[in-house]
Amino acid sequence: EFLIKHEHLGFRESVRVVADRFGIVLPESFLDRNDSIKDTQLDLQASFLSDLNAYFQQQLSDSVPVKKYCEERGLHKDTIQLYGLGFAPDAAAQKRWIQTNQHDKSIYQATGLFKEDGYALLQQRLIFPILNMKGRLMGFSGRVISNQTTAPKYINSPESQLFNKRRLLYGMHLAKESIRKSKSMIIV
């Protein structure tokens, strides 16, 4: 009932969350075919985002100018690793990566990060992966690194079946244990 009221989940989804948390395997009869298909699609999108994040992390690691930018902003190597930061190169480089890794078009387009024509929403940006409470990658926030642009400073992944900005708090997966121990939390 708590999840239904406070997390705005449906009954079935609430049961799944509780079962998952306590390692309970639900009977096949509990899941209908549409739930199963939806879950598979979301798992594929999350898997794509994880692969994309690894690519972004490698791009940051390989880019001397971006690493210099991070240092100038006070982001040291251990912080970059802890938060899994990366760098999104231009759209052409991202398109080549997608083609090389043979990712399914319907999956990567469902994330909202790529358009039909190959346009990448996040380009030339420092990437902050956004994870849910369980540490599952749900989307990204990208900060422009050039002062020579009129583009918005930050862009988030668009709302999708996987990414719901209202339900996510950046870094919460890292803070939850500390919050649980101290029984308090300050949000700024």
Side-chain angles (χ1 to χ4, degrees), residues 128-143:
F128 298 83
I130 301 173
L131 288 74
N132 67 9
M133 290 283 284
K134 294 180 182 178
R136 183 179 188 186
L137 183 57
M138 306 302 278
F140 299 103
S141 185
R143 187 194 193 286

Side-chain angles (χ1 to χ4, degrees), residues 1-9 11 14 18:
E1 194 172 312
F2 176 84
L3 291 173
I4 293 170
K5 287 182 180 177
H6 296 283
E7 296 294 327
H8 308 291
L9 299 178
F11 175 75
S14 297
V18 171

Side-chain angles (χ1 to χ4, degrees), residues 24-59:
I24 299 168
V25 177
L26 294 172
E28 200 64 38
S29 61
F30 183 80
L31 304 171
D32 70 23
R33 181 164 155 57
N34 291 333
D35 287 342
S36 174
I37 291 168
K38 182 179 175 185
D39 288 346
T40 300
Q41 290 298 314
L42 294 179
D43 287 343
L44 290 171
Q45 289 175 37
S47 177
F48 169 76
L49 291 179
S50 292
D51 290 349
L52 184 60
N53 193 46
Y55 170 69
F56 288 159
Q57 289 172 341
Q58 186 62 51
Q59 293 301 300

